[in-house]
Amino acid sequence: LSFMNSTFRHAEKGKRLRILKIEGDPVVCDRLFEIGFSPDEEIEIQQQLLWNGPLIVEVRGGHVALRESEAQCITIQNI
């Protein structure tokens, strides 16, 4: 996975990741950009809540809860 592009589905807690691209629903993409997600930004998986709950991600020093539909718009790479 360290050299492959992926989505959050295969990401592990505590891993540092780099955002490669954000694409999908324009409304969702705009929201992601507004809260700090952008290509080349480094993020870290903090927690996956139970029963397919939100994914807690650290981005730009803050913590953000992502719904699955939002996370699917972000392509990541391990660093």
Side-chain angles (χ1 to χ4, degrees), residues 1-4 11-12 15-18 76-79:
L1 183 62
S2 61
F3 57 91
M4 296 181 353
E12 299 175 22
K15 285 283 193 176
R16 297 290 301 167
L17 306 164
R18 177 171 286 117
I76 55 173
Q77 179 181 43
N78 283 344
I79 52 176

Side-chain angles (χ1 to χ4, degrees), residues 6-71:
S6 184
T7 60
F8 287 100
R9 175 175 286 184
H10 300 101
E12 299 175 22
K13 180 180 175 182
K15 285 283 193 176
R16 297 290 301 167
L17 306 164
R18 177 171 286 117
I19 298 173
L20 297 178
K21 61 183 174 179
I22 299 174
E23 60 185 358
D25 181 337
V27 173
V28 174
C29 291
D30 286 346
R31 178 181 179 276
L32 291 170
F33 283 117
E34 288 173 3
I35 60 177
F37 291 85
S38 61
D40 293 324
E41 187 68 37
E42 291 185 14
I43 59 175
E44 184 176 325
I45 305 299
Q46 296 294 312
Q47 185 176 8
Q48 168 69 58
L49 299 180
L50 298 176
W51 301 294
N52 291 326
L55 185 67
I56 310 300
V57 178
E58 180 183 326
V59 59
R60 296 185 184 197
H63 292 88
V64 177
L66 292 177
R67 297 177 183 99
E68 184 177 349
S69 60
E70 296 166 328

